[in-house]
Amino acid sequence: MDRNYSEDQIHEVARDLIAQVRSKVFCLYGEMGSGKTTLIKALVKELGGIDRGSSPTFGIVNEYQDRDGRLLGFHFDFYRLEDEMEAFDLGFEDYLAQDAWVFIEWPEKIASLIPEGAAKVCLDVVDEINRKLTIA
């Protein structure tokens, strides 16, 4: 999948990603402001999450439930991590072991902990309005 889109198309992009990607682990790569958190919010909503979704930069991880109160997934923001051991100490592998969606911002900070088969979603800024999404 290689696609340019604007924010008003984000839910369509999220639906397409969910339909096309086989993994429940999404690694989102992109510079600050490229739309990683915005895309995760749309993914959570399209999956039936009741939470609006927000960047967990200060708490590192957010947990989401579906409309029935069941675990839907986790959103990690590893921007502030100094090394992979911090994620390991957080119990990152335990989160991965659950049957849940996992969305990871700044996965390059924990490269050796990313499971095989995880989706690599790259976001690039085209201009103020448009973004380019590539599945690598």
Side-chain angles (χ1 to χ4, degrees):
M1 183 176 190
D2 194 4
R3 165 181 194 169
N4 284 6
Y5 66 94
S6 60
E7 192 169 347
D8 64 340
Q9 299 169 312
I10 194 79
H11 289 281
E12 177 186 331
V13 170
R15 283 189 297 273
D16 289 349
L17 274 173
I18 292 164
Q20 293 180 23
V21 173
R22 301 258 183 238
S23 179
K24 283 182 130 180
V25 179
F26 284 64
C27 296
L28 289 95
Y29 296 84
E31 64 188 58
M32 189 88 58
S34 62
K36 297 180 297 293
T37 300
T38 302
L39 180 56
I40 291 170
K41 288 179 186 180
L43 288 163
V44 168
K45 182 174 181 181
E46 293 302 320
L47 289 166
I50 56 172
D51 301 298
R52 292 191 54 226
S54 61
S55 181
T57 300
F58 298 104
I60 298 182
V61 63
N62 281 344
E63 180 176 309
Y64 302 110
Q65 284 80 38
D66 66 14
R67 290 176 185 94
D68 297 323
R70 293 182 303 243
L71 175 65
L72 176 72
F74 304 101
H75 174 186
F76 293 90
D77 185 331
F78 290 128
Y79 179 74
R80 294 183 307 125
L81 252 59
E82 297 296 323
D83 64 50
E84 288 183 343
M85 283 307 295
E86 291 178 63
F88 190 77
D89 292 342
L90 178 71
F92 180 69
E93 291 175 323
D94 294 331
Y95 286 100
L96 291 175
Q98 298 185 51
D99 183 24
W101 294 86
V102 177
F103 306 105
I104 306 167
E105 293 189 57
W106 307 100
E108 56 273 26
K109 299 261 191 166
I110 59 157
S112 74
L113 300 177
I114 300 297
E116 191 173 317
K120 183 177 180 182
V121 179
C122 302
L123 297 172
D124 293 299
V125 176
V126 174
D127 56 38
E128 276 188 34
I129 297 170
N130 297 292
R131 302 295 184 262
K132 179 179 181 181
L133 179 141
T134 306
I135 304 293

